Amino acid sequence: MEKRKRTNALKDDDENEDNIWWLVVQRGLAPSLISISLFALLVRVAVSLHPYSGAGKPPKYGDFEAQRHWMEITVNLPASEWYRNSTANDLSYWGLDYPPLTAYQSYIHGLFLRNFLPDSVSLQTSHGHESYLGKLLMRWTVLSSDVLMFFPAVFYFIIVYYCSGSHSGRKSDWAWHVAMILLNPCLILIDHGHFQYNCISLGLTIGAVAAILSDKDLLACFLFSLALNHKQMSAYFAPAFFSYLLGKCLRRQNPLLEVLKLGFVGIGTFSIIWWPYLQSVDAFLQVLSRLAPFERGIYEDYVANFWCTSSVLIKWKRLFTIPCLKLLSLGATVSASLPSMVQQIWAPSKQGFLYGLLNSSLSFYLFSYQVHEKSILLPLLPASFLAIDEPFLFKWMMHYALLSIFPLMCRDELILPYISLSALFILLYHAPGGRKEKRDALSPSNLKSFVVVFLVLCSLALHVVYLVVSPPEKYPFLFEAMIMLLCFSQFLFIAGYTNIKQWMTLKDSALENKEKKYL
């Protein structure tokens, strides 16, 4: 009788698969999702009350001024002049260096600011504008972007993820998983503290991932194309999308037609967004040159990737030219991404795709050219997708992701929200009944306890040392280098582990097929 009820329930879910809100209401999840969303929004508002990047620091201020300046440029100049150096648009002063979709977003937000406070986006005279109302309006643009783009995408992903049949769908799992993604301390600190709009490109990526999990491949292609056109760093996920979709197309009755359909959607989306810059080769190349700032060198700040870490011993910038470094980083990134791509082309699976997202984004973070410390948000996203299956991995990666951006938070005077959000994450992560109790391969019981404790103590000690001890005059960035070395070692370890786990999905799928044969 119970089996029959379960079967009927599953049939009802399948029949209402397209009506996702029906599933939320039917399972009594609406109050939990609304409560978590309101709390996540309140946390964002609280963080936005603190300082931001470059607050009161002329002449160029920081990322806050960069975003405001892009609004100033886009609302006062025609699209053809947005990426071109001129007397009205000095590219040396926070020139636009993101794809056109970011420019359109800046234009919309600029119209909003101009409607309420014209002086905040007046051409040239608004540089360094920091009025109370101006800051309030700027903060509001990030909050509204988060609510309109990131929150709905997270709900879409969670509903698809738990209704796919591979997970239990317990209320506590749903609520805990939503909280882990919406209350990601790194994203909140960088977007609502430091000041950026990563919530838009990451929201589009989450939507694309959810579309993949629900077998809507053309929608996934469209959404991921939008993500690429908002921030070029979304290319960190490109190998995973490419290999999964290609592997899936190769198993269809007409592979060429399937590839052409995906190509048409992708090229069509790019063409529409880039249309103002496709009128001439010069205009197109002008935008393209802004998206790849190779002249800045293979790294800038202390970021926990291979090039910056190894520069302690190998002075890459002195020994090699920029063209040579471009080839080296390209070769290293492709080589690191290749095993994950081969696995998905050979045997595409949805679980393998999620691991592939983490592996490809980690490959880019560790080995690609000109990585910023804020780029850790990209591999952290797929780690949060896998939080139910790999809880310890997710917690471990979050811990070192936070440590990797700690120097940046100190520069922005965001130490209090950093500590508060770190503590909040630990409390929510260990909430009773909030996650599956099954052990994963990375749980501390499978490692020597003293190694885990030692690494955690090292990271805590580095926080304290960075705050209270002055570095030696000869090595002013000694503590940043120590933080970088520790974080890099952990990210490298995670990359190795997740690549192995992805290949193990082949074994799991083979066992599933074998079981189905006997049923």
Side-chain angles (χ1 to χ4, degrees), residues 127-335:
H127 289 192
H129 185 94
E130 291 186 309
S131 70
Y132 176 79
L133 180 57
K135 289 185 276 190
L136 190 66
L137 293 171
M138 288 287 285
R139 290 294 196 188
W140 175 251
T141 61
V142 184
L143 282 168
S144 59
S145 299
D146 223 339
V147 172
L148 293 173
M149 298 294 297
F150 192 76
F151 281 50
V154 171
F155 298 147
Y156 179 31
F157 167 79
I158 290 293
I159 292 165
V160 169
Y161 185 76
Y162 286 99
C163 293
S164 62
S166 58
H167 296 86
S168 68
R170 293 185 306 164
K171 284 185 185 180
S172 58
D173 286 347
W174 285 58
W176 181 82
H177 207 166
V178 167
M180 289 297 100
I181 302 176
L182 287 185
L183 290 159
N184 179 333
C186 290
L187 177 62
I188 296 173
L189 285 167
I190 289 172
D191 272 18
H192 300 274
H194 179 82
F195 201 91
Q196 285 196 347
Y197 294 91
N198 295 290
C199 55
I200 297 176
S201 57
L202 293 181
L204 290 166
T205 301
I206 294 171
V209 172
I212 289 282
L213 298 183
S214 55
D215 294 313
K216 296 179 173 67
D217 296 343
L218 294 179
L219 175 61
C221 186
F222 170 68
L223 290 172
F224 186 60
S225 296
L226 290 179
L228 285 169
N229 278 288
H230 186 263
K231 285 203 170 185
Q232 61 267 43
M233 285 84 74
S234 298
Y236 283 32
F237 303 119
F241 276 94
F242 173 80
S243 55
Y244 174 81
L245 290 172
L246 178 60
K248 198 172 175 183
C249 287
L250 293 175
R251 279 151 187 79
R252 296 280 178 83
Q253 192 172 0
N254 195 333
L256 183 59
L257 179 62
E258 298 299 326
V259 170
L260 287 173
K261 285 195 292 186
L262 291 169
F264 178 77
V265 171
I267 293 170
T269 306
F270 269 78
S271 299
I272 292 168
I273 293 170
W274 282 71
W275 184 251
Y277 309 102
L278 297 179
Q279 310 305 312
S280 71
V281 174
D282 180 59
F284 175 75
L285 292 177
Q286 180 65 36
V287 179
L288 209 59
S289 67
R290 295 295 304 161
L291 306 185
F294 292 118
E295 70 282 354
R296 295 181 189 173
I298 198 163
Y299 62 87
E300 274 185 283
D301 294 322
Y302 278 84
V303 59
N305 75 345
F306 171 77
W307 304 109
C308 196
T309 304
S310 60
S311 67
V312 174
L313 299 174
I314 306 169
K315 304 304 177 186
W316 298 103
K317 293 181 180 180
R318 294 179 193 170
L319 295 173
F320 300 95
T321 61
I322 287 177
C324 188
L325 287 173
K326 286 194 286 185
L327 288 174
L328 280 172
S329 64
L330 177 63
T333 306
V334 171
S335 300

Side-chain angles (χ1 to χ4, degrees), residues 311-507:
S311 67
V312 174
L313 299 174
I314 306 169
K315 304 304 177 186
W316 298 103
K317 293 181 180 180
R318 294 179 193 170
L319 295 173
F320 300 95
T321 61
I322 287 177
C324 188
L325 287 173
K326 286 194 286 185
L327 288 174
L328 280 172
S329 64
L330 177 63
T333 306
V334 171
S335 300
S337 304
L338 205 55
S340 174
M341 293 179 68
V342 169
Q343 190 276 329
Q344 279 300 280
I345 294 172
W346 184 10
S349 67
K350 290 172 182 177
Q351 189 68 4
F353 169 66
L354 294 179
Y355 278 105
L357 287 169
L358 180 50
N359 288 325
S360 67
S361 54
L362 269 174
S363 298
F364 272 77
Y365 180 83
L366 293 172
F367 298 107
S368 64
Y369 198 99
Q370 190 57 224
V371 174
H372 296 277
E373 61 267 58
K374 292 161 280 189
S375 301
I376 193 59
L377 290 176
L378 288 106
L380 201 52
L381 183 67
S384 68
F385 295 158
L386 294 162
I388 284 287
D389 295 318
E390 301 278 0
F392 185 77
L393 177 143
F394 172 61
K395 179 175 72 171
W396 198 248
M397 187 160 182
M398 182 67 76
H399 178 78
Y400 285 99
L402 279 164
L403 177 60
S404 72
I405 65 168
F406 181 62
L408 176 68
M409 296 299 103
C410 290
R411 290 198 297 273
D412 291 343
E413 299 178 17
L414 293 167
I415 298 171
L416 179 59
Y418 176 91
I419 294 170
S420 303
L421 285 178
S422 300
L424 177 63
F425 172 78
I426 293 168
L427 288 172
L428 291 173
Y429 178 87
H430 292 287
R435 63 188 176 94
K436 289 184 177 180
E437 295 300 322
K438 80 171 187 178
R439 295 183 186 276
D440 59 66
L442 272 184
S443 60
S445 60
N446 295 327
L447 294 170
K448 291 184 178 180
S449 297
F450 75 89
V451 174
V452 175
V453 172
F454 174 74
L455 289 171
V456 170
L457 289 175
C458 282
S459 64
L460 294 176
L462 281 171
H463 281 91
V464 176
V465 167
Y466 192 84
L467 288 174
V468 302
V469 180
S470 299
E473 288 185 17
K474 192 176 180 181
Y475 304 105
F477 301 107
L478 175 64
F479 300 143
E480 281 94 340
M482 291 171 69
I483 289 172
M484 170 191 69
L485 286 164
L486 180 58
C487 292
F488 171 72
S489 68
Q490 300 311 299
F491 295 149
L492 194 63
F493 168 72
I494 290 170
Y497 168 77
T498 50
N499 269 280
I500 293 169
K501 283 288 288 188
Q502 184 179 338
W503 277 90
M504 284 174 66
T505 59
L506 287 174
K507 185 180 176 181

